[in-house]
């Protein structure tokens, strides 16, 4: 049987803290559609974590959370600027175009998943033409698809010219916990010009849940109707909110993310193949030919070939040092 | 503090069986996007429950499940026939039009939430005209929004002329468990001509989850891509599948639904106000003026005024006889 | 062969003035996508006619012009308030929902096609709820679908509470020329709070063309991209602009509309059936049973049964007094 | 004043034959929405020209015609395969995604605007994955965006593996007349597996009009409602149909296209810059640096830099040999 330990960070179970909070929330009757006390408490914790007076909603799907956010920032005849390998560009089956009614995506180059500043500047310099979709928002991802980190300053440098144009900014934080554990100060997001953040719960070790954090209050108007129409306003909101309580109230989310990051570093240290990208967070990307990958799969370890041709190994809160070492041994025997 | 016991059947917590199954599923690594063993086991149980060789997917949202299903049955310049007070018409913020790209809804009359046969026939008799959205599907709900039941024969009578036209059929089973507990034989659905069923978990006492059951196999092609784009293909599918295992494997879902139905009957028996609709399932609808409703709210019990002007009281698996009796007392004092 | 003289005001040919202007514009090379000198000249004439400093675009379709305008005023989880028999509600195959991505329509009652003030007020008073599409715009039609007129004051009374809510206003002017000929002062539109006007060319006697007039300049940003994506930015814009030049430059549009209105009055005077609505503009609506209508059709005259059950006779610039009298005779023989 | 003679083939006026037919059609009353005798006659002529028993509709916009066709062939979670520089990919502001509700586009490489067979094969070989939009149709353009021609055999070779997959085929014939004049046999289209053809009128020298030709009859069901909802079912259909009568009834369309093609050949012969693509039809693409292009613009001649970096000169029915020679002189002085 294949082992999915390193296939993704969504193959792990939920953390004890997240699950326990969900169990604790399963008590008594509660009002619906996110108006319950659990959702309120979780939203307060998210705000405290970000040190920000923002609107917070808890939804089921990261794909939908991203797509709904982008639809809130752009009109159908406009486009989102994003790294060409961003999740929204390559892994969401065109969800931004579906939720955004034909919304375009403009893929930008950049090493190791970080958008190249000049590439962004060039895209912003393009004149508006009626025959193409001009940008109206920038989407950033931290930590990135290639397991690298943006420092707040680096994000600020990308965001500044975008805001100068009057465009919106979305931050895909599916792995924001890993970024935080790697040193990214979450309390600085509020001052960077981010309009909407998707603060990921799922990949951080929760049952499926994501927090949509709306910094730009004007966007919050009728947001519940927007979510409801999009199938993302849960009637039983407490089940999406509770895991955030369990994970945020004493910082478990960051301890778990730090562990995942450390496991990635450990794996990188054992790796007999060339590591292609800096290992800032919880992913290790290596150069491996097809024959070797096939043998790896045969030996029972599952890993994906990624968009840049490297093979990706993801660590999670549940990855153990023993498993990392076992994988290291297996890889050594293939190299 | 307001008591939400009777405000809806989604104010209750999850049943012990559903929650325990979720906890049990939270073990080890699992492959993503519904390919895991928990999802497979749950799908098998759904198929066994329905005695049908159907495709089964587990999703987060009933609104989305309905809307995605209708989008699969109709094109944007077509319409869905439904009871004018069906959930898709009145409570989903236009989700069918959003997921269906402008898809129309044609509301049909009918007493106590059941579509009137002649009204349906008249709608089907309308000639196709280019300036309006002609029907391509019928959406049914069982048990209905007014707590009444369709017998299989009654559903068959509505479905037959629709299938004769070559149109599709969707069954909103948000309260299918209550229908089953009231005598509706789930194994007969497969022979009625239903193309897609949404088998509700949430209102039946699970954490948020719904099973999409595709009887018409041609509709299943690329359905995962359809769900993914719509933000309804969970990366961690086991958390949506597991509660169905807990509730289906030994019939807990039906015992709980039977209890909810019985509580509704008990409440109806105590009711000092005129009960407007037959109490087949878990809802009681009564005639109550605004002043009385306001006093009820003040006394701490929350209930909604519904679309037909009556006031709705919903019972759930978690409703106790004591609470019913306490509400009965409170109502008596207002009458 | 059936005579379509009275079936609609779009069955008539184009006026000599409109056609001649189109022929005159067919000279030499011209830049594309509405940047040509013909489009500029026509836009100037529209602005002069309305005494307004507005953005003007010429498009092919009234249905699309309305739908694109409504999409500019509302988001998908919002709705448009309109008369329940407005063209956008009943005759455009759900185009507002298609162009507006699921945008809702809220139909309002009102005698003879004019929205009832209290009905509008009641709709505006509804609290925002996440489960339904709350209004974000009002759509008005002048002259109305039933051939009646709003005075500027009447429009203002409807618009005022809508603007007070911060909502947008769209004016469907498919028959604006008929309204003007009936005394409606076009120069007052700019002060009424209308954000977007569709000034109809087609029914006024032009080859297919409509002017989209954007009073609220903020809506004009990237409007050409909006039109292009919607298939409504003509590469050869002069063919849509020129007819407006021919019809506006010396007021031909109003002379022709006055004639159409006069023909309707003449027909009403000859009518042996009960006329149901005031004949302010170019339509006559009468009470006629099915058998009589069938005999009318058999006698060669085509007319439609309309939404309120009456039978509609439309006059146009091309309707002659002789034809009106001939129809009058035919009707007399059936009465 | 800038001269737009070579900027595009949509800067020319309409041909005498097209305009005369429009004038002739402007006679008497006609039924609406494409049911008139002019539309019928024009549809018959299109069918005769293609020797095909197909459904034919006349619409205003090529962008919309393409987008509506693609929406008929694909679902939102699917994609269209097309040349990466096809008009639908680069010049229509994302209209396919707008009309197709998020429909994806997969750009394929290929020299001089013709899709590379192996690139297509590779795209067809990609396994269906739920996280991306898999292809459901191929869009071809003839003559291509780079003024080159596909022979029927070449189209057949591209289409065959697509049909083998059960996917649809769309042919963008904005310049089909130029292809025909260059030797492409229009009567062979019907046997190639094309499901929908957009037969261009606008660039062929008509006032704005395009014929949508539906070879696959199953797609024609409710197509008028599809067009109406998309703002492409003209109430006064005769004005879109008539130009086709004038141009097709005695082959004027092909004489004019042959002239345009000949003018392009003449220009290519005079060209002092390197011609980058074969001059099969009516466009000439040359290598020219920015400084030179700027001087060309200053000298009064307008031409665009195109997607591959070359500068495009388009000829039309209205291009005269004298103008070509004058442009040739002007270019010589810049070289």
């Amino acid at each position: 049987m294949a082992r999915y330990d390193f296939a993704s960070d969504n193959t792990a179970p939920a953390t004890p803290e997240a699950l326990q909070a969900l169990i604790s929330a399963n008590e008594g009757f509660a009002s619906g559609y996110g108006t319950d006390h659990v959702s309120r408490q979780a939203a307060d914790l998210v705000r405290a974590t970000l040190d920000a007076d923002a609107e917070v909603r808890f939804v089921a799907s990261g794909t939908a959370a991203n797509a709904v956010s982008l639809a809130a920032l752009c009109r159908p005849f406009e486009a989102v600027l994003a790294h060409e390998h961003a999740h929204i560009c390559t892994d969401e089956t065109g969800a931004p175009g579906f939720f955004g009614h034909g919304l375009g995506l403009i893929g930008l180059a950049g090493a190791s998943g970080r958008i190249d500043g000049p590439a962004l500047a060039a895209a912003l310099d393009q004149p508006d033409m009626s025959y193409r979709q001009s940008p109206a928002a920038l989407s950033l991802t931290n930590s990135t698809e290639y397991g690298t980190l943006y420092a707040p300053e680096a994000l600020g440098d990308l965001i500044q010219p975008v805001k100068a144009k009057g465009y919106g900014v979305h931050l895909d934080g599916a792995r924001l916990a890993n970024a935080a554990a790697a040193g990214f100060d979450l309390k600085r997001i509020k001052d960077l010009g981010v309009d909407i953040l998707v603060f990921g719960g799922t990949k951080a070790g929760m049952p499926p849940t994501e927090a949509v954090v709306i910094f730009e209050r004007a966007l919050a108007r009728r947001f519940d109707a927007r979510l409801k129409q999009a199938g993302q306003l849960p009637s039983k909101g407490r089940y999406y909110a509770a895991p955030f309580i369990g994970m945020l109230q004493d910082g478990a989310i960051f301890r778990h993310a730090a562990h995942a990051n450390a496991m990635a570093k450990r794996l990188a240290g054992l790796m007999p193949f060339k590591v292609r990208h800096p290992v800032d967070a919880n992913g290790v990307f290596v150069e491996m030919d097809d024959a070797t990958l096939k043998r790896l799969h045969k030996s029972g370890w599952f890993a994906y070939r990624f968009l840049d041709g490297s093979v990706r190994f993801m660590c999670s809160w549940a990855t153990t040092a023993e498993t990392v070492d076992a994988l290291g041994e297996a890889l050594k025997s293939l190299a």
Side-chain angles (χ1 to χ4, degrees), chain A residues 91-151:
Chain A
D91 286 285
E92 301 187 352
T93 325
F98 181 77
F99 284 85
H101 202 188
L103 183 65
L105 296 171
I106 298 172
L108 301 173
S112 296
R114 287 181 287 227
I115 293 173
D116 182 51
L120 173 61
L124 290 172
D125 274 357
Q126 292 288 312
D128 273 24
M129 302 299 283
S130 63
Y131 61 83
R132 68 182 173 217
Q133 291 169 289
S134 294
L138 171 69
S139 178
L140 295 159
T141 309
N142 207 20
S143 60
T144 73
E145 295 300 325
Y146 288 102
T148 55
L149 192 70
Y150 283 110

Side-chain angles (χ1 to χ4, degrees), chain A residues 288-296 305:
Chain A
M288 188 185 289
D289 61 31
D290 274 349
T292 310
L293 180 59
K294 210 170 268 182
R295 280 185 293 143
L296 180 67
R305 188 171 295 288

Side-chain angles (χ1 to χ4, degrees), chain A residues 314-329:
Chain A
M314 296 305 293
C315 297
S316 72
W317 76 273
T319 309
T320 63
E322 291 70 35
T323 324
V324 168
D325 295 349
L327 174 62
E329 285 303 310

